[in-house]
Amino acid sequence: MERKKINIVWLKRDLRTQDHAALYAAEYEVTPYLIIYLIEPTIISYPDTSLRHLQFQYHSILQMQSKLEAANQKVHILYAEAINAFTYLNEHFEIQKVFSYQESGIKLTFNRDLAVKIFLKENNIIWTEFQRDGILRGIKNRTGWDKAWYQMAHSEQFKNIFSESKSIEFVNPFPLAGEFEQELNKYPREYQPAGEDFGQKYLQTFTNHRAANYSRHISKPLESRTSCSRLSPYLAWGNLSIKQVYQALESAKNSGKYKRPIDNAITRLHWHCHFIQKFETECEYETRFLNAAYNQVVWNKNDEALQAWKEGKTGIPLIDACMRALWQTGWINFRMRAMVVSFLCHHLFLDWRSGVYHLANLFLDYEPGIHYSQFQMQAGTTGINLIRIYNPIKQSQEHDPNGVFIKKWIPELQNVPDKYIHEPWKMPLMEQELANVRIGTEYPAPIIEPEKEIKNNRDKIWAFRKTKSVKINNPSIVEKHARPRKKSI
Ligand SMILES: Cc1cc2nc3c(=O)[nH]c(=O)nc-3n(C[C@H](O)[C@H](O)[C@H](O)COP(=O)(O)OP(=O)(O)OC[C@H]3O[C@@H](n4cnc5c(N)ncnc54)[C@H](O)[C@@H]3O)c2cc1C
C-alpha cells in the first residue's frame, strides 16, 4: 500500500498555538502534517519528572486542542519512546519533514535527540529544529550573545493559522492508558492553571496592575505570590514564548506604567535565557559539580534531616512553610528557593544533589537550564559566585514579620504569638499550652540550631572556597558560563 506523504510537528516545551515557528513552518508546506506530543516512559520515569509536570503539559495540550479543532487539527499524545513512535509513523506514512524546537534539556533528552537525529537521517527525513527563545546551539563562549538575544526578542512574532486542508486522519496506536489519563486529567486547584490563555491572562494582569509592587515585594514569601509575574510555568512549558512576554512587557513599560518594576522583570527574563544558555553549553552539571574541586568536600550524611527538609518538618517555621507551600501549590519566590537550598547545603551541610530532584519535582515551573545552575549557585559550588548563607530566622523576621505566611502553611502554629512565631521552640511550656501546640509533639522541635550551624559551617565553607583547587577551575568556568562584563546593547 502506498504510504501517504506527511510532515510532522513534534511538540516539546512549546505548548502553544501562537508565535510558534514549527507550526508555522508546517502550515507553510503543501504536505499535510501531524502534530504529536510524546510521553516517553524512559523520560517520565527519570527522577526529575513528577506528576504535576505531566498534568501541566496535559492541560496545556487540552487548551491547544480547543484552538485547533476548528481546522480539524489535533495534538496527538503518543505514549511511546521517541524511536518507537517515529518507527511506527514512518512505516505507516512517508514522512518528509519533522519540525520542532531545539530542546536544552538534561543529558537524557539530549541523547534521545541524538538517536532520533540518526534515525531520521537514515530514513532520509529532514529534521528542522528551531531556536528556542534565543538559545544558541554549539557556541564556544558568550561573545555577541546578548546582542543576538535582544534581536530575537524584538523580532516579529509568528502569527499562526491552521487550515483544514493540512490535517490528516490518524488513529493513535500509542494512546494513554485510561487510568493514567484520568490522573493527568485531575488538576489540583492550588496549582496555577495551565495553558496559553492563562499565560496571557497572567501576563495581562501583571502589566495592568500586579507589577505595581513587583520590586518591593519580590523577596516576601506572601506578597510575592501576587506581585511577581508568576509567568514561570508558562515559560517553562512554552505556553508563552520569551518574545511574547518581552514584547508585552516592553509595550507596557513604554506606556509609562510601572516602568521601574517592569524593567526589573525584563532583566529577569534575560536571566532566564542566560541560564538556559549555560546549560545548553554543558548539561552535565545536572549531576556534576560546576567546579570539580567540590568533589573533595566531605558532606554530612543524614537521611532523617533530609527527609524532614523534604516534608517541611524541620521545626524551623519559614523553611517548613516554604516546603509545604511548594507541595501544595508548586511555587515559592526566588528568595525562599535560595533559602531552602542554603539550609540544605549550608546548615545541614548535605550534598546539593540530595535535594535537587526533590525541588525539581515540586516546582511546577521546573526548567532544567535554570534549575541546576541556580541550585549550584545557591549551594555555593560554582566557585565563581558570591556564597549567600541565608539565616532562616532572620529571613523570617524580615520578610514575614507577623508570621502570616508561616501560619497559612503551618496551621499547628496558628495561635503562636508574634513574639515566638520565628522560633517557637523558645516558647515557655505555659505559652505552648495557651497556643495549643506542644513543640516536639504537634510541631517538631528544630532539627538543628540555625545560629550554631552557621557559625560552625561558615568558616569551613569560605576556607574551602579560597583554596587553590577551587580557584584553578574558575577561569574556564568564567570563560564558558559568565557573560562578558561589557553590555553589548
Ligand atoms: C534553587 C533555585 C531553583 C530554581 N529553579 C527554577 C526553575 O526550575 N524554573 C524557573 O523558571 N525558575 C527557577 N528559579 C528562578 C526563580 O526563582 C523563578 O524563575 C521565579 O521565582 C519564578 O517566579 P515568577 O515567574 O513570578 O518570576 P518573576 O520575578 O516575575 O520573573 C519573570 C521571569 O523571569 C525569569 N526569572 C526570574 N528570576 C529568575 C532567576 N533568578 N533566574 C533565572 N530566571 C529567572 C522566570 O522565567 C520568570 O518567570 C530557581 C531559583 C532557585 C534559587
Side-chain angles (χ1 to χ4, degrees):
M1 201 182 77
E2 203 188 327
R3 293 175 304 155
K4 190 174 168 62
K5 286 192 174 131
I6 64 160
N7 291 332
I8 287 178
V9 175
W10 177 13
L11 299 177
K12 293 174 160 194
R13 281 178 176 258
D14 44 280
L15 300 176
R16 63 179 179 277
T17 57
Q18 288 305 314
D19 193 33
H20 199 295
L23 287 169
Y24 190 88
E27 186 70 30
Y28 193 76
E29 299 274 327
V30 177
T31 312
Y33 62 98
L34 201 64
I35 310 172
I36 63 167
Y37 188 74
L38 302 178
I39 297 196
E40 300 156 86
T42 318
I43 288 173
I44 65 166
S45 53
Y46 195 73
D48 71 332
T49 300
S50 65
L51 179 63
R52 63 183 64 184
H53 301 155
L54 299 173
Q55 288 171 322
F56 194 93
Q57 294 160 31
Y58 183 78
H59 283 266
S60 301
I61 291 171
L62 290 188
Q63 204 162 87
M64 291 181 76
Q65 310 290 33
S66 68
K67 294 174 190 302
L68 295 170
E69 68 189 359
N72 206 23
Q73 268 293 13
K74 170 172 191 193
V75 179
H76 298 275
I77 303 177
L78 275 55
Y79 182 79
E81 301 296 350
I83 292 294
N84 296 347
F86 280 110
T87 304
Y88 177 92
L89 291 169
N90 199 41
E91 280 165 6
H92 291 77
F93 296 100
E94 194 181 324
I95 309 172
Q96 310 282 292
K97 296 180 181 175
V98 173
F99 300 104
S100 76
Y101 276 96
Q102 285 171 349
E103 183 171 355
S104 303
I106 56 173
K107 192 84 177 159
L108 185 70
T109 53
F110 184 73
N111 287 342
R112 183 269 325 270
D113 281 353
L114 287 182
V116 169
K117 187 173 240 164
I118 293 169
F119 174 86
L120 296 179
K121 195 160 179 226
E122 281 171 357
N123 288 282
N124 297 317
I125 300 166
I126 299 166
W127 184 11
T128 306
E129 287 182 278
F130 294 92
Q131 196 191 85
R132 180 185 171 213
D133 295 333
I135 313 301
L136 305 176
R137 186 147 278 184
I139 57 168
K140 298 265 178 290
N141 58 46
R142 305 294 291 273
T143 313
W145 187 84
D146 278 344
K147 193 171 173 196
W149 187 86
Y150 281 107
Q151 270 167 0
M152 173 286 299
H154 283 279
S155 63
E156 207 179 318
Q157 294 179 26
F158 291 99
K159 293 194 175 55
N160 292 92
I161 51 153
F162 302 93
S163 45
E164 202 164 349
S165 59
K166 302 287 169 61
S167 70
I168 300 160
E169 280 296 313
F170 178 66
V171 179
N172 186 351
F174 306 109
L176 296 168
E179 258 180 42
F180 182 39
E181 188 156 15
Q182 275 170 21
E183 274 302 299
L184 298 185
N185 211 352
K186 284 185 207 152
Y187 195 79
R189 289 171 47 142
E190 292 81 6
Y191 300 167
Q192 284 178 245
E196 59 187 323
D197 287 351
F198 289 108
Q200 290 291 352
K201 197 171 159 195
Y202 272 68
L203 182 54
Q204 241 178 42
T205 57
F206 181 67
T207 51
N208 283 351
H209 57 93
R210 289 189 298 113
N213 291 319
Y214 176 70
S215 307
R216 195 173 326 137
H217 291 164
I218 197 163
S219 296
K220 312 247 172 262
L222 184 71
E223 292 86 340
S224 61
R225 300 187 81 80
T226 43
S227 65
C228 274
S229 75
R230 306 294 303 269
L231 292 172
S232 54
Y234 306 112
L235 288 167
W237 303 108
N239 290 172
L240 297 175
S241 67
I242 285 282
K243 198 191 291 179
Q244 285 175 318
V245 176
Y246 179 89
Q247 293 182 3
L249 293 180
E250 276 285 313
S251 138
K253 191 183 90 176
N254 293 337
S255 75
K257 223 169 149 189
Y258 313 134
K259 191 176 171 314
R260 269 260 182 90
I262 288 185
D263 247 342
N264 283 342
I266 291 175
T267 305
R268 282 169 177 79
L269 213 57
H270 189 252
W271 291 355
H272 171 111
C273 299
H274 156 81
F275 280 109
I276 299 178
Q277 183 65 60
K278 283 187 187 204
F279 200 64
E280 165 66 33
T281 315
E282 206 173 357
C283 68
E284 285 76 10
Y285 62 83
E286 169 206 348
T287 50
R288 217 179 60 193
F289 284 101
L290 205 99
N291 190 313
Y294 281 88
N295 279 310
Q296 298 162 26
V297 174
V298 182
W299 306 94
N300 290 344
K301 291 218 177 338
N302 187 340
D303 288 346
E304 246 175 66
L306 178 63
Q307 202 53 27
W309 176 81
K310 286 183 178 174
E311 292 177 5
K313 292 184 179 162
T314 64
I316 314 289
L318 191 57
I319 299 285
D320 294 347
C322 284
M323 286 311 221
R324 296 184 196 190
L326 261 183
W327 272 103
Q328 287 209 35
T329 69
W331 190 88
I332 51 172
N333 60 327
F334 173 81
R335 172 67 66 104
M336 295 301 116
R337 294 184 196 210
M339 180 193 69
V340 294
V341 172
S342 174
F343 188 78
L344 178 81
C345 304
H346 303 141
H347 295 74
L348 302 179
F349 209 70
L350 299 177
D351 189 328
W352 63 275
R353 290 169 292 197
S354 62
V356 78
Y357 292 135
H358 180 72
L359 288 192
N361 285 180
L362 294 183
F363 290 165
L364 199 57
D365 60 22
Y366 166 56
E367 171 66 65
I370 303 177
H371 190 63
Y372 299 103
S373 327
Q374 275 291 354
F375 217 106
Q376 292 223 43
M377 269 175 72
Q378 304 308 330
T381 55
T382 67
I384 58 170
N385 303 104
L386 186 75
I387 301 176
R388 290 221 163 89
I389 303 178
Y390 291 95
N391 178 336
I393 313 297
K394 276 203 184 132
Q395 291 298 314
S396 187
Q397 288 161 342
E398 219 167 282
H399 297 300
D400 188 29
N402 303 318
V404 180
F405 178 76
I406 290 173
K407 289 180 180 179
K408 178 166 170 57
W409 298 106
I410 314 180
E412 306 93 288
L413 300 180
Q414 203 57 242
N415 301 317
V416 172
D418 287 3
K419 186 175 165 200
Y420 295 112
I421 192 66
H422 311 289
E423 298 169 287
W425 58 90
K426 292 190 175 165
M427 263 192 299
L429 284 178
M430 186 63 189
E431 294 270 4
Q432 294 187 26
E433 286 295 327
L434 289 173
N436 209 14
V437 60
R438 275 146 298 266
I439 302 305
T441 311
E442 282 96 0
Y443 182 69
I447 56 169
I448 53 152
E449 285 177 46
E451 303 276 0
K452 196 171 130 200
E453 293 305 320
I454 291 177
K455 242 185 231 152
N456 284 348
N457 296 336
R458 180 177 279 124
D459 290 347
K460 189 158 73 175
I461 290 166
W462 276 106
F464 188 75
R465 166 67 188 271
K466 288 178 187 147
T467 56
K468 243 195 198 148
S469 47
V470 168
K471 285 187 182 159
I472 219 161
N473 290 311
N474 286 352
S476 69
I477 298 171
V478 171
E479 163 74 18
K480 244 191 266 172
H481 297 295
R483 296 211 321 263
R485 279 263 166 252
K486 198 166 139 274
K487 260 188 141 188
S488 336
I489 205 161

